[in-house]
Amino acid sequence: MEIRELQWFTALAEHEHVTITAERLNISQPTLSRAIRRLERRVGVPLFDRHQNRLRLNKYGEVFRAHALRAISEVSGAEQRITALIDPDTGTVALGFLHSYGTWLVPDLLAGYRRLAPGTTFELRGDAADAVVDDVRNSRLDLGLTSPRPAGDDVEWTPLRDEALCLLVPPGHRLARRRRVRTAELADEAFVALEPVFGLRQITDRLCAAAGFMPRVVLESTELSTLRALVAAGLGVAVAPLTGSPSGPGDHAVAVPLDDPQARRTVGVVTLAGGPRAPVVARFYDYVRSRAHAPHV
């Protein structure tokens, strides 16, 4: 059953005359008649009572017309919503990101972009790195801001900037007043860390492995704010982004720069291979990439 046949049926139900309706629809009378017969065969009953050259909508036709009008309205509404979603000025972008990017990167990007396209709306979702990439792969997200680079050739990942990592230690810790610390010095420390699905945890494990040990993780969390609180409570040390980390002794965790060239994570934007197709997403994607290596992205 095609939507145009429903439209032809409702027009015929209004005029109750094949010749007039066919002229209004700019189709031939036989084409219209065949379409109506197909509908009647599908529903199993005649929809019109025939009286010489005129038609009368019967009780079955009245029922069918009510549902046909709703179906036409639903399809029209869907078309309008899709048009709004893909409009480069007023559409919607589904954007995923690591939770820690929600405090600086995402606000900076959206604030700058709104000056260019104030009518664009965003669906925002913070999650772990693996979950963000998986949602992009399955088209639940248009774009993702994540780290590290995801594996596979079914997605594209464009690096935007490097974010320095630091060591978080409790106040009064033996390393709290150090200007810098090497990863190799942490072999005997108890670590608190994000769960393995998080990109930061994966980077932490690689840093420690390169220094010749695996971190002794005593507590795992799903949020960076909780991680900082656990460190401040003296439950272990942690590797964390320098962005947003406390910088001096006090009641909070203390951030000490890591003296390791690999102590960084590269922020990147991920989308399906071939790039986004919807104009609204493509426009924002180009904007994000144009901000690569900018001081505050």
Side-chain angles (χ1 to χ4, degrees), residues 116-146:
L116 300 176
T120 301
T121 57
F122 290 85
E123 296 175 0
L124 304 177
R125 187 182 312 161
D127 215 325
D130 288 357
V132 170
V133 175
D134 185 60
D135 282 348
V136 170
R137 283 193 169 105
N138 290 284
S139 299
R140 292 187 289 267
L141 290 173
D142 297 312
L143 301 172
L145 297 168
T146 187

Side-chain angles (χ1 to χ4, degrees), residues 191-196 198 200-201 204-205 215 217-223 227 230-231 237-239:
F191 279 74
V192 295
L194 298 180
E195 293 180 350
F198 287 82
L200 182 61
R201 170 63 179 276
T204 299
D205 289 348
V217 178
V218 296
L219 288 170
E220 291 182 335
S221 175
T222 60
E223 296 179 355
L227 199 70
L230 293 173
V231 173
V237 302
V239 174

Side-chain angles (χ1 to χ4, degrees), residues 4 9 85 89-90 132 142 159 189 230 241 251:
R4 67 175 181 174
F9 163 76
L85 286 172
D89 295 319
T90 62
V132 170
D142 297 312
E189 295 287 342
L230 293 173
D251 295 332

Side-chain angles (χ1 to χ4, degrees), residues 8-19:
W8 294 350
F9 163 76
T10 57
L12 184 59
E14 178 183 354
H15 298 295
E16 295 187 328
H17 197 289
V18 173
T19 302

Side-chain angles (χ1 to χ4, degrees), residues 204-248:
T204 299
D205 289 348
R206 285 204 298 267
L207 277 173
C208 294
F213 70 97
M214 290 304 297
R216 181 167 58 90
V217 178
V218 296
L219 288 170
E220 291 182 335
S221 175
T222 60
E223 296 179 355
L224 200 54
S225 58
T226 302
L227 199 70
R228 292 191 175 106
L230 293 173
V231 173
L235 297 172
V237 302
V239 174
L242 189 56
T243 306
S245 294
S247 58

